[in-house]
Amino acid sequence: MKNFSEAVLPHLPSLRRFARGHCQNVDAADALVLATLKKLRVRWLWMGHSNVRLSALRLMCRLVDGQASATPTADHSESYGQKFIGPAIALSKLAPVQRSSILLTSVERLSHREAAQVLDISEGELLRLLPQAREQLRLIVEAPFRQTLINRPYLRRVK
C-alpha cells in the first residue's frame, strides 16, 4: 500500500481545481484543500484501497456544504446589472450541490455514478439535478444580456 503522500500527490491539481470552483479566491481554495487533506489523512488507515480522488472530493463537498449552511445566503440580484458575468461569479451564485454537480461532471469529467457517489446522492437524483443546475447557470449568465434587451426596443420601423 502506498503511503499517504504518494497516493494524494497525483490528485492535488484536481482537488485545487475543484476547490477553486467553489471559492472566489485562491487563498480560500487552498485552505479548503488543506482542510480536506487533513481530514483525509485522519481517515487514511481506515480507507483501505478505495479511490483516493473520490474520497477527497467527497470530503471537500461535505466541507463546502458545511460552510454554505454556516454562512447566510447573499442576494446577488444587484450584480445582475453588470455587462459580463464571469464563470467563477456565475458558479458562485448556484447552490453548493448544483455547483458541485456541474464541476464534477463537466470540469473533473467524472461519470454520473462517480459524481453521485461523491455527492452521496442516487444516480437518478444527480441526473435530475444536472439539467436544473445547467438551466440556472444559463439564466445567471444571460441575465445581463436580457437586461440590455429590455432597455432597448427590439424592432425599428420597417417599411
Side-chain angles (χ1 to χ4, degrees):
M1 184 175 182
K2 294 180 182 179
N3 67 15
F4 180 74
S5 299
E6 290 174 352
V8 170
L9 193 61
H11 304 294
L12 280 179
S14 174
L15 295 176
R16 288 194 74 212
R17 189 172 46 240
F18 185 70
R20 193 69 175 97
H22 278 288
C23 300
Q24 286 293 323
N25 60 17
V26 177
D27 293 334
D30 287 341
L32 182 60
V33 171
L34 184 61
T36 302
L37 291 176
K38 285 180 180 179
K39 286 190 173 277
L40 188 66
R41 177 71 175 148
V42 170
R43 298 174 186 198
W44 177 250
L45 295 176
W46 294 281
M47 284 178 45
H49 296 287
S50 65
N51 191 336
V52 175
R53 181 179 180 210
L54 293 181
S55 299
L57 289 171
R58 183 179 301 120
L59 286 172
M60 193 175 295
C61 283
R62 289 180 185 159
L63 286 173
V64 167
D65 288 343
Q67 289 174 353
S69 63
T71 58
T73 58
D75 182 24
H76 297 288
S77 59
E78 70 275 0
S79 61
Y80 273 36
Q82 298 174 354
K83 289 290 183 190
F84 175 73
I85 294 179
I89 294 171
L91 278 172
S92 71
K93 294 179 182 184
L94 292 176
V97 175
Q98 291 178 332
R99 187 179 328 130
S100 294
S101 65
I102 288 178
L103 289 172
L104 290 171
T105 55
S106 301
V107 177
E108 298 302 325
R109 299 286 186 199
L110 293 181
S111 68
H112 290 136
R113 179 179 301 153
E114 291 172 332
Q117 286 175 353
V118 168
L119 294 172
D120 287 332
I121 59 176
S122 67
E123 194 172 347
E125 190 174 343
L126 177 73
L127 291 174
R128 181 191 55 79
L129 179 68
L130 272 172
Q132 292 173 356
R134 288 181 181 137
E135 178 66 17
Q136 184 69 26
L137 187 63
R138 184 184 67 80
L139 291 173
I140 291 169
V141 170
E142 288 179 354
F145 301 113
R146 276 187 264 121
Q147 189 66 26
T148 58
L149 289 176
I150 292 171
N151 294 336
R152 296 183 189 150
Y154 289 128
L155 296 174
R156 288 183 278 166
R157 186 179 225 173
V158 178
K159 291 187 180 182

